[in-house]
């Protein structure tokens, strides 16, 4: 008989707490079961193993990140949207470092639910990029540059990689200003700069 209070939703919530406290790579069914006070085999009544828990957390993370980016960008475009989007992205990563790590997982082929959630993350970013006048055939390139920059910054921040005695918030603001400059002067050709 299943222990009272153990549901798929509760398992997911406890797993989210585990990854935010201990890291995405440390997630095990044993850790979740221990917090719930149940045996590992009893979790299989509620979830499809560790793969099912990871997928549920990935959907949760991507959905929440998408909601935050949409909320940050509503009524804004271009330069006016960049700062709020960057702040929302960083804020989510800082509040939920384990769940944030799940957002880098690309949707599996045929996983329509994950694809739809990922599209909701991309939508406000593409609208913001469009506000800069970046040609539509280059919007994904610009979105990748933005994501790579923000991901690199927040990943280093979360890992404690900014140890110098310089204000990290100021560094982040300057990084966002650099992104603004890059998007404002987006190159129209595919040629790489030469050394």
């Amino acid at each position: 008989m299943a222990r009272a209070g153990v549901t798929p939703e509760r398992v997911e919530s406890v797993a989210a707490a585990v990854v935010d406290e201990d890291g995405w790579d440390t997630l095990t069914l044993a850790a979740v079961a221990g917090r719930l006070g149940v045996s590992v085999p009893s979790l299989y009544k509620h979830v499809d193993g560790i793969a099912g828990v990871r997928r549920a957390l990935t959907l949760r993370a991507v959905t929440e990140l998408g909601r935050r980016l949409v909320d940050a960008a509503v009524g804004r475009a271009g330069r006016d949207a960049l700062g709020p989007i960057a702040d929302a992205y960083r804020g989510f990563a800082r509040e939920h470092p384990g769940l944030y790590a799940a957002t880098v997982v690309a949707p599996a082929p045929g996983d329509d639910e994950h694809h739809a959630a990922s599209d909701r993350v991309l939508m406000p970013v593409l609208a913001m990029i469009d506000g800069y006048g970046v040609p539509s055939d280059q919007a994904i390139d610009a979105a990748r540059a933005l994501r790579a920059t923000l991901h690199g910054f927040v990943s280093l921040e979360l890992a404690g990689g900014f140890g110098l005695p310089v204000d990290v918030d100021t560094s982040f603001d300057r990084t966002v200003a650099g992104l603004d400059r890059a998007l404002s002067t987006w190159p129209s050709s595919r040629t790489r700069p030469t050394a």
Side-chain angles (χ1 to χ4, degrees):
M1 180 170 190
R3 181 165 179 150
V6 178
T7 63
E9 295 78 19
R10 179 102 172 95
V11 172
E12 182 182 324
S13 292
V14 168
V18 168
V19 299
D20 278 343
E21 292 169 22
D22 301 330
W24 176 254
D25 293 333
T26 67
L27 180 64
T28 63
L29 290 179
V32 175
R35 289 198 187 193
L36 288 168
V38 299
S39 66
V40 171
S42 69
L43 289 181
Y44 286 95
K45 299 172 188 170
H46 306 285
V47 296
D48 187 20
I50 193 68
V53 173
R54 286 188 180 278
R55 181 184 178 278
L57 290 181
T58 298
L59 284 173
R60 179 187 192 125
V62 173
T63 299
E64 177 62 16
L65 179 60
R67 185 192 63 75
R68 289 185 186 209
L69 297 185
V70 167
D71 289 350
V74 71
R76 298 179 170 107
R79 174 174 284 119
D80 293 336
L82 176 60
I85 284 174
D87 288 342
Y89 187 96
R90 182 182 183 211
F92 177 74
R94 292 169 85 182
E95 290 172 40
H96 299 287
L99 285 177
Y100 171 73
T103 67
V104 300
V105 177
D111 189 341
D112 295 339
E113 190 176 13
H114 189 177
H115 278 282
S118 294
D119 287 347
R120 287 189 294 277
V121 171
L122 190 57
M123 180 186 65
V125 172
L126 291 178
M128 180 269 296
I129 289 169
D130 184 59
Y132 276 97
V134 173
S136 61
D137 66 331
Q138 297 173 34
I140 295 299
D141 297 331
R144 286 175 174 164
L146 176 78
R147 182 183 187 197
T149 302
L150 293 177
H151 176 70
F153 191 100
V154 301
S155 295
L156 286 167
E157 182 178 26
L158 292 173
F162 295 136
L164 297 175
V166 176
D167 182 61
V168 176
D169 292 337
T170 299
S171 296
F172 186 73
D173 291 344
R174 290 182 175 149
T175 298
V176 174
L179 286 168
D180 173 57
R181 195 168 303 115
L183 291 168
S184 296
T185 59
W186 191 259
S188 59
S189 71
R190 287 183 56 97
T191 57
R192 296 174 104 182
T194 56

